[in-house]
Amino acid sequence: MKIAGSTALVTGANRGFGRHLAAELVARGATVYAGARNPDSVDLPGVTPVRLDITDPASVAAAAQLAGDVNLLINNAGIETGTDLLDGDLKLVRLELETHYLGNLSMIRAFAPVITGNGGGTILNVLSALSWVNFPNVGAYGAAKSAEWAMTNALRLQLAERGVRVSGLHVGYMDTDMTAGVTAAKSDPAVIARIGIDGIEADAYEIVTDDTSRQVQAGLAGGVAALYPQLP
């Protein structure tokens, strides 16, 4: 995948990690559609704002019709409600799933034919270290990201034969609005964006961007005992 000369759509591109991804793509010579619920909130020079709510099928369909020259889709838009699975509001649990899983699935279903029709390309799903490990205070988020990871794996196989590479990016905490209340170490989102775009150009199926994600990935082989040493 060559970024220079490509045409990309980044969801949630008005702020945070999505804005950094869009900026990195522009800097490398891509044409970029910047998806946001409120396109007026997109202030990045050199991009085309697109009204897009990934949980609204009509909005997704309209974006696919507008951005018919896309050969790179980056599914970045997301939320984090801080809902635990046992006692949290079930409506918020559903919202997490509707956003990270069903919303991103809707984007892929809409744009996979577009990308195939344009000669093939890449879809990048922004996942998380919490795709692989989960904790009560982020239970809904982790469950939704795990579902998105499983979806990424299934569609990677299904779309490969159609000339569409499906990649997943795993990252721990980044210094964005979403993690404003987190006191743990955070990565610079601009650095993670560069690593992510490098991974796309390298045709990587899995982009593990930081020490946290690498440690969690390594812990998968050790099973529950390795991932959750605090258990009795």
Side-chain angles (χ1 to χ4, degrees), residues 52-102:
L52 177 59
D53 178 351
I54 67 170
T55 66
D56 178 359
S59 178
V60 171
Q65 184 173 12
L66 173 68
D69 52 346
V70 161
N71 63 351
L72 171 59
L73 170 65
I74 300 184
N75 286 316
N76 162 77
I79 58 170
E80 203 285 283
T81 64
T83 304
D84 78 74
L85 295 172
L86 188 61
D87 301 314
D89 188 337
L90 199 57
K91 291 181 180 179
L92 294 178
V93 177
R94 288 194 181 100
L95 180 59
E96 295 264 15
L97 287 166
E98 288 169 0
T99 302
H100 295 288
Y101 179 58
L102 294 175

Side-chain angles (χ1 to χ4, degrees), residues 39-215:
D40 292 337
S41 65
V42 176
D43 62 356
L44 181 66
V47 304
T48 300
V50 175
R51 186 180 303 278
L52 177 59
D53 178 351
I54 67 170
T55 66
D56 178 359
S59 178
V60 171
Q65 184 173 12
L66 173 68
D69 52 346
V70 161
N71 63 351
L72 171 59
L73 170 65
I74 300 184
N75 286 316
N76 162 77
I79 58 170
E80 203 285 283
T81 64
T83 304
D84 78 74
L85 295 172
L86 188 61
D87 301 314
D89 188 337
L90 199 57
K91 291 181 180 179
L92 294 178
V93 177
R94 288 194 181 100
L95 180 59
E96 295 264 15
L97 287 166
E98 288 169 0
T99 302
H100 295 288
Y101 179 58
L102 294 175
N104 286 321
L105 178 57
S106 294
M107 288 293 297
I108 293 173
R109 287 164 64 108
F111 276 90
V114 172
I115 295 172
T116 299
N118 290 327
T122 298
I123 296 170
L124 175 66
N125 292 331
V126 176
L127 302 172
S128 171
L130 292 170
S131 305
W132 294 327
V133 66
N134 205 355
F135 302 99
N137 62 321
V138 289
Y141 180 86
K145 282 296 183 183
S146 291
E148 187 183 355
W149 177 48
M151 176 259 287
T152 299
N153 289 332
L155 294 180
R156 177 180 293 134
L157 293 170
Q158 192 170 0
L159 289 175
E161 62 189 26
R162 305 183 194 181
V164 181
R165 183 176 295 267
V166 180
S167 181
L169 182 148
H170 293 269
V171 62
Y173 293 125
M174 289 186 288
D175 191 10
T176 65
D177 291 345
M178 186 179 287
T179 62
V182 174
T183 58
K186 305 175 193 177
S187 297
D188 181 343
V191 172
I192 302 301
R194 287 196 293 273
I195 294 171
I197 304 304
D198 285 345
I200 292 172
E201 284 208 307
D203 290 335
Y205 282 116
E206 191 167 62
I207 306 168
V208 183
T209 62
D210 62 355
D211 289 341
T212 297
S213 297
R214 283 186 284 270
Q215 290 167 5

